[in-house]
Amino acid sequence: MQKNIFLIILFTLISFGSYAQEVGDILNILVDKELITSEYADSLIRAGKQKKQPDAIRKLKSAFISEAFQLYGYAQVIYNLTENTDRGFIRTSTHNSIDIARAIIFANGKLGAKNQFGYQLMFDFGSNAMMHEIYGEWTPIPAINLRFGQYKIPFSMENPISPTNIETVYFTRSISAMSGSAGDFNQYNPAGAMTGVKVGRDAGFQLSGRLIPRRDYYLIEYYTGLFNGTGMNVKDNNNHKDFIATAYVQPVKGLKVGGSVYSGKLFGQHPSILGSPQMTPEAPANHVRNHWAAGFEYNAKNIYARSEFSHANDGGLLRDGAYGTVMWKIVPGKWEILGKYDYYEPNKDLTDNEITDITAGINFYFAPFNRLQLNYIYTDDKAAGTNNMLAAQLQLFF
């Protein structure tokens, strides 16, 4: 009887995980005195560890999921098969590749008694490992949000959209080329003025908010701020801060109409000589950098549509772009089919340099934020030739 009581107390100590070393020593003594077998001692230890496991898991989860601290991420893997036809030489080539597009980790949270203060860190562990976002913000009321740090600039409707939510495998060429992402000639400047990848992000200060509440939406949404203009992870290279202002009106739920303006200074070689090595380089200087975009977005239960027109004036180099996307949510949150048209003219002073992309796609969500995307993209580049691409993307959210 005393032996059983002692073993019950011993098992309780193991279960709580207290004095683990002492418990192990006591068990060894009992085995030596042949009061219990070594197999029975091992079973007591295993039972104690199993009892601790749920509590350990709970503590582990609470360390990663709370209002003050959340840790999560996503990864995107793309397979693309392309067939290029060179317009000048009537030559066709085929290429295929599997690429790790993104491997992102987020850390964010809400702080303070009323969760008015927040923060976010975003790091890409992919092939170009780098910090994408790091900022703090204060939101005392829905009409006021003050943000300071590095994040996506509020230019156009599409640029602020996360890659996890964009309808197609790739972002729109014309918007990317106007907001400092892929295809923007400002992204790499031979004079060293614009160095580093931007992907639509910059460091700055922003004031935003939502005004005039309706039953379940807001009538007005606005963003305004000052930014370096040099992209992410790059110091400003002049004393001029670029200004961005965006406003949208939602007259009825699901329909947003509005536009953006971008006014800044580009420091470096004059844009007209970029990509023209035969021209004599000039001394770097500040050049005008004015962009604007206007469009609409409609989001209903089974239909989604978005369209924008954009224009840029960079030191006298004029560019235009326009796109339209329509998506049918066959089974909302599960199956989607879409079509998209994208037009971009990188230099209005030249002829035959327009680029047109036509995309047809299907999306399948096998879990929230986890999806498979399949796109067929036909590109007609008046200067370079045509391109047929089949792109498949796997998105995993964790």
Side-chain angles (χ1 to χ4, degrees):
M1 179 69 177
Q2 291 179 346
K3 174 183 172 183
N4 291 336
I5 294 174
F6 180 79
L7 291 177
I8 291 172
I9 296 173
L10 190 61
F11 181 78
T12 302
L13 288 174
I14 296 174
S15 299
F16 278 102
S18 302
Y19 313 109
Q21 183 60 48
E22 290 84 348
V23 168
D25 293 339
I26 294 172
L27 286 174
N28 289 332
I29 293 173
L30 294 176
V31 171
D32 291 339
K33 292 183 176 297
E34 298 182 352
L35 294 175
I36 61 173
T37 64
S38 59
E39 291 81 5
Y40 186 46
D42 291 339
S43 68
L44 288 174
I45 293 175
R46 287 195 301 270
K49 288 182 177 179
Q50 290 173 357
K51 189 173 181 64
K52 285 198 309 178
Q53 188 176 17
D55 186 59
I57 293 174
R58 179 185 61 78
K59 290 180 179 179
L60 181 63
K61 287 183 177 179
S62 65
F64 289 94
I65 304 175
S66 68
E67 287 187 345
F69 179 75
Q70 297 184 25
L71 187 66
Y72 59 97
Y74 72 90
Q76 292 177 326
V77 183
I78 299 177
Y79 169 79
N80 61 66
L81 172 65
T82 61
E83 182 186 70
N84 303 291
T85 301
D86 190 300
R87 194 178 300 279
F89 297 96
I90 319 290
R91 183 176 56 197
T92 301
S93 61
T94 303
H95 176 72
N96 72 88
S97 177
I98 301 175
D99 304 313
I100 308 300
R102 298 171 185 90
I104 303 290
I105 294 293
F106 292 92
N108 60 25
K110 296 292 184 181
L111 307 173
K114 297 181 179 180
N115 291 335
Q116 293 182 356
F117 296 92
Y119 67 91
Q120 175 158 296
L121 284 79
M122 175 183 176
F123 193 90
D124 188 351
F125 287 89
S127 57
N128 295 316
M130 65 181 70
M131 179 69 73
H132 278 204
E133 294 185 3
I134 176 169
Y135 64 82
E137 59 183 359
W138 177 50
T139 312
I141 57 176
I144 297 176
N145 173 275
L146 299 175
R147 180 180 290 185
F148 179 66
Q150 178 173 283
Y151 43 90
K152 280 202 168 189
I153 61 173
F155 178 78
S156 79
M157 288 184 167
E158 179 171 301
N159 185 66
I161 298 176
S162 167
T164 60
N165 294 324
I166 198 72
E167 310 80 32
T168 51
V169 173
Y170 299 103
F171 278 80
T172 303
R173 183 192 300 268
S174 56
I175 293 298
S176 296
M178 302 282 184
S179 57
S181 289
D184 190 345
F185 76 94
N186 294 324
Q187 189 169 356
Y188 299 100
N189 190 310
M194 292 289 178
T195 58
V197 181
K198 300 181 188 180
V199 293
R201 292 179 172 87
D202 205 350
F205 175 83
Q206 174 181 286
L207 169 64
S208 64
R210 296 170 294 170
L211 306 171
I212 312 178
R214 294 294 186 252
R215 187 176 66 176
D216 53 355
Y217 66 96
Y218 286 83
L219 181 64
I220 297 175
E221 183 179 343
Y222 76 93
Y223 304 84
T224 182
L226 296 174
F227 298 85
N228 281 341
T230 49
M232 68 183 195
N233 303 328
V234 179
K235 290 184 177 181
D236 203 347
N237 52 24
N238 58 21
N239 290 322
H240 188 280
K241 290 294 178 285
D242 292 3
F243 172 75
I244 301 176
T246 295
Y248 302 114
V249 177
Q250 191 170 184
V252 296
K253 185 180 179 181
L255 175 63
K256 288 203 283 191
V257 180
S260 305
V261 294
Y262 185 117
S263 177
K265 296 288 185 182
L266 169 69
F267 178 78
Q269 300 283 348
H270 193 279
S272 63
I273 76 165
L274 294 179
S276 302
Q278 70 275 12
M279 299 184 67
T280 303
E282 62 179 23
N286 283 319
H287 303 284
V288 65
R289 188 184 186 196
N290 294 333
H291 301 178
W292 63 264
F296 78 92
E297 177 186 64
Y298 179 67
N299 192 4
K301 180 181 178 180
N302 293 102
I303 296 293
Y304 177 85
R306 188 179 68 254
S307 181
E308 292 184 272
F309 179 84
S310 54
H311 174 79
N313 178 1
D314 295 292
L317 176 63
L318 304 180
R319 300 180 287 156
D320 278 342
Y323 77 92
T325 298
V326 177
M327 182 171 68
W328 178 28
K329 307 172 191 177
I330 304 174
V331 181
K334 204 74 172 178
W335 289 95
E336 302 166 341
I337 58 174
L338 60 94
K340 181 166 117 178
Y341 176 85
D342 182 16
Y343 170 86
Y344 177 51
E345 188 175 8
N347 190 341
K348 292 184 66 65
D349 290 334
L350 300 179
T351 59
D352 296 329
N353 74 129
E354 300 93 342
I355 306 172
T356 301
D357 297 301
I358 299 174
T359 303
I362 183 168
N363 301 329
F364 169 65
Y365 289 82
F366 54 90
F369 298 106
N370 292 266
R371 63 183 179 179
L372 289 167
Q373 294 175 280
L374 182 64
N375 285 182
Y376 166 72
I377 308 166
Y378 172 77
T379 300
D380 183 9
D381 187 328
K382 297 298 183 183
T386 60
N387 180 65
N388 290 279
M389 175 186 289
L390 187 65
Q393 177 168 265
L394 170 64
Q395 175 176 299
L396 300 173
F397 193 90
F398 53 90

